[in-house]
Amino acid sequence: MSPQSNNKPGKPGGKEAQPLIIAKTPAEEQRLKLERLMRNPDKLAPIPDRPKEWNPRAPPEFVRDVMGSSAGAGSGEFHVYRHLRRREYQRQDFLDKMAEKVDKDLDYLDKVEQNKQAADERTAKRRKKREKLKQKKLMAKKAKLETKNKKEDDADKSSESSEEEEEEEEEEEREAEDDAEAPSFIMGKK
């Protein structure tokens, strides 16, 4: 028989025997768990399901053993009564806690809604303020451009008017020169 990797005879190839390590601290226990998980990273890690919420047993539909207050009840009847009473008190406590939890959940959802509304209102207010500032900046920019354009137009008009005046003066001078050079009978002068 050939030597095998496991301690069990007759089974070829299996898990190797691991030395037993006892964790002394919680940190060491966690380290050992992580090492075991990381030996085979392709294998899925076990994630336990959430524990189911405890529910009390529902009250019976039909009670067969009705306990009366008659005398002569046996000593064992008290214990039955005590268990029934304890179970009913647990059920009532559970119902009270569930009602309280539902109320708290509704209060929480209301508070979340109120916070969301308040945040939306603040956002809207700030957005409005930003838009106002943008409009002011645009208006100031337009006004600045208009004043600049007016100044340029005035300068252009004044330069155009001065150019026109200069042209008119030049024409008058030419006419005067032409008048001086031309003979008087052409101009109709005597």
Side-chain angles (χ1 to χ4, degrees):
M1 198 168 162
S2 65
Q4 296 175 356
S5 61
N6 59 2
N7 294 337
K8 297 179 184 176
K11 288 196 174 183
K15 290 185 179 178
E16 294 181 13
Q18 296 288 329
L20 181 64
I21 301 173
I22 298 172
K24 293 183 175 90
T25 63
E28 193 174 336
E29 183 180 348
Q30 188 72 25
R31 183 181 56 79
L32 289 172
K33 284 181 181 177
L34 283 172
E35 284 176 0
R36 190 175 345 124
L37 283 173
M38 293 310 289
R39 276 189 209 129
N40 190 0
D42 296 335
K43 185 179 175 183
L44 293 176
I47 300 173
D49 293 333
R50 287 179 87 179
K52 292 182 180 176
E53 196 171 301
W54 179 83
N55 281 334
R57 200 175 352 170
E61 293 287 325
F62 182 78
V63 180
R64 284 174 175 60
D65 301 323
V66 178
M67 297 177 64
S69 59
S70 63
S75 60
E77 296 299 315
F78 171 72
H79 300 294
V80 173
Y81 166 75
R82 188 182 64 185
H83 290 306
L84 288 172
R85 185 182 64 179
R86 181 182 53 81
R87 202 174 297 133
E88 181 62 19
Y89 285 159
Q90 276 184 338
R91 192 179 72 81
Q92 287 178 354
D93 286 343
F94 176 76
L95 291 175
D96 290 342
K97 285 180 184 174
M98 289 303 292
E100 188 178 325
K101 183 180 177 185
V102 168
D103 287 343
K104 284 184 179 179
D105 287 346
L106 288 175
D107 289 343
Y108 173 75
L109 291 175
D110 287 342
K111 189 166 187 169
V112 166
E113 187 65 31
Q114 288 174 353
N115 288 346
K116 188 176 179 182
Q117 272 185 335
D120 288 344
E121 288 173 4
R122 284 193 307 267
T123 304
K125 187 176 179 182
R126 290 176 181 166
R127 182 183 304 121
K128 190 175 178 183
K129 192 173 181 180
R130 284 193 303 268
E131 290 297 323
K132 251 186 180 178
L133 286 172
K134 276 186 183 178
Q135 291 296 328
K136 273 188 178 180
K137 284 183 181 179
L138 282 173
M139 295 300 285
K141 198 172 185 180
K142 283 182 181 179
K144 190 175 182 181
L145 284 174
E146 287 176 4
T147 55
K148 187 176 180 183
N149 287 341
K150 282 184 182 179
K151 286 181 181 177
E152 287 178 359
D153 289 343
D154 290 344
D156 289 344
K157 286 180 182 177
S158 63
S159 63
E160 287 176 6
S161 61
S162 63
E163 287 176 4
E164 289 174 1
E165 290 174 2
E166 289 175 6
E167 288 176 5
E168 289 176 7
E169 289 175 4
E170 287 177 4
E171 285 179 26
E172 290 175 3
E173 287 176 5
R174 283 189 213 134
E175 288 176 4
E177 289 175 3
D178 290 339
D179 287 343
E181 292 176 3
S184 58
F185 62 89
I186 298 176
M187 298 298 286
K189 292 184 182 175
K190 291 185 184 180

